[in-house]
Amino acid sequence: MLAIFNKELKSYFKSPIAYGFIAFFLVMFGFYFFMINIFYSEPDYTYVLANITTILLLGVPLLTMRLLSEEKRMKTDQLILTAPINTSGYVLGKFLAALTLFIIPTVITFLHPLALSTFGTLPWAKIIGAYFGMILLGATFISIGLYISALTENQVVSAIATFAVFMLMLYIDNFKQIAPADVTSSVIFLAILIIAIGAFIYNSTKNKIVAGLISVLGLASIAVGYFIKPTIYEGIIVNFLDWFSLINRYSSGFYMGILDFSTVVYYISFTTIFVFLTIQVVEKRRWS
């Protein structure tokens, strides 16, 4: 894993991607810092950190678009996949290299609150908590971008798809407000979700028995629950969308100075799931 990490980090800095990402990150942060804390004389630095969403939406696709798609296109992944290298280490090395590149400009922007502190006392606990949440949110977005990069060999497609998913997550709170909460809609939604999970498992494993069994058991469970107590399905769609509300958890938690352990576990779990899914995609390619 360490060798892959070093190789990936060096390749970032041998290309314009690292310099472009760091420059974009620092320019955006500098712009928000100037406008909020200097131009409008707002003493609260966390208002600057609230604009991390813009940087993630535009910057992370740039960071992750070539992670696995480029090697797939150039066929260089075949050399690695046929070598005695652990797939988990291969994917984790790439993920950690991208995360390191994300953390580098994040640490540099810490100079902003340090400069502000010369004019007065700052709520350091709140600021450090917001930075911690920003890194967790960044890690989660990078894991999603990494997964999408594993699905295609076209960097542009990878970047556009990653951006589209991030946009969906940005507006997911708006979708919650118009999502139906009645039992019938919830049951139909769950049935479609179970079928989609079965299709995904089949696509990943090519095992019809396992995929079919999971789908049948899932649909049977929904039917049993509906006949015993249908009200348990009320608001399922809203709760489902709420689970994917990554940005809202940052805005209502870390950004407000609230260090909620469950939110930390949530981001780590989300990241782990997408890294795991990426490993499965690469593993499948390795043995196909």
Side-chain angles (χ1 to χ4, degrees):
M1 184 183 77
L2 189 59
I4 297 294
F5 170 79
N6 289 331
K7 171 184 170 296
E8 196 62 36
L9 199 57
K10 286 178 182 175
S11 70
Y12 267 131
F13 284 97
K14 287 179 180 176
S15 70
I17 291 178
Y19 305 101
F21 175 76
I22 292 174
F24 168 75
F25 197 108
L26 295 179
V27 167
M28 291 299 292
F29 250 90
F31 171 76
Y32 288 124
F33 174 67
F34 175 79
M35 292 301 295
I36 295 172
N37 295 124
I38 297 177
F39 189 77
Y40 288 107
S41 302
E42 171 57 54
D44 192 345
Y45 181 71
T46 53
Y47 286 144
V48 177
L49 299 177
N51 293 288
I52 180 64
T53 307
T54 307
I55 296 169
L56 291 173
L57 282 176
L58 300 174
V60 170
L62 176 72
L63 206 60
T64 60
M65 65 180 185
R66 55 167 290 279
L67 274 176
L68 291 165
S69 59
E70 176 68 3
E71 294 204 17
K72 189 176 178 182
R73 186 181 69 84
M74 300 291 289
K75 309 296 183 189
T76 52
D77 62 332
Q78 295 180 8
L79 294 173
I80 297 172
L81 295 176
T82 52
I85 298 175
N86 184 280
T87 306
S88 302
Y90 172 65
V91 173
L92 277 174
K94 286 183 171 290
F95 168 75
L96 291 175
L99 181 60
T100 301
L101 190 52
F102 175 80
I103 290 174
I104 289 172
T106 301
V107 172
I108 295 174
T109 62
F110 205 73
L111 293 172
H112 294 157
L114 286 175
L116 276 182
S117 67
T118 59
F119 299 100
T121 304
L122 297 184
W124 283 110
K126 184 180 178 183
I127 292 172
I128 292 172
Y131 265 102
F132 178 59
M134 194 170 83
I135 292 173
L136 286 176
L137 184 61
T140 307
F141 272 57
I142 288 170
S143 69
I144 296 171
L146 176 70
Y147 174 69
I148 294 173
S149 176
L151 299 176
T152 177
E153 62 181 27
N154 189 312
Q155 291 186 46
V156 177
V157 172
S158 173
I160 293 174
T162 304
F163 178 74
V165 171
F166 291 172
M167 285 295 290
L168 188 66
M169 290 185 167
L170 178 64
Y171 290 104
I172 206 165
D173 290 324
N174 296 334
F175 296 148
K176 283 193 306 185
Q177 296 175 7
I178 59 174
D182 61 284
V183 173
T184 304
S185 300
S186 299
V187 169
I188 293 173
F189 172 76
L190 281 177
I192 294 173
L193 185 63
I194 292 293
I195 293 171
I197 291 173
F200 175 77
I201 292 173
Y202 172 72
N203 185 53
S204 301
T205 64
K206 299 300 179 188
N207 191 323
K208 293 181 181 178
I209 297 175
V210 173
L213 191 61
I214 290 175
S215 299
V216 170
L217 288 175
L219 293 173
S221 301
I222 294 172
V224 171
Y226 180 78
F227 285 111
I228 294 176
K229 191 176 181 181
T231 53
I232 61 173
Y233 294 113
E234 287 180 352
I236 285 284
I237 300 177
V238 176
N239 293 334
F240 179 82
L241 293 175
D242 187 55
W243 195 84
F244 283 96
S245 185
L246 292 169
I247 296 171
N248 185 47
R249 279 177 170 76
Y250 173 75
S251 303
S252 61
F254 294 106
Y255 168 64
M256 301 298 291
I258 303 169
L259 184 57
D260 187 353
F261 184 70
S262 64
T263 307
V264 176
V265 173
Y266 168 82
Y267 280 128
I268 293 175
S269 302
F270 210 102
T271 303
T272 304
I273 288 171
F274 273 93
V275 171
F276 172 77
L277 290 175
T278 307
I279 293 171
Q280 297 311 304
V281 171
V282 176
E283 191 71 23
K284 178 187 169 187
R285 194 186 311 151
R286 185 175 207 169
W287 298 108
S288 62

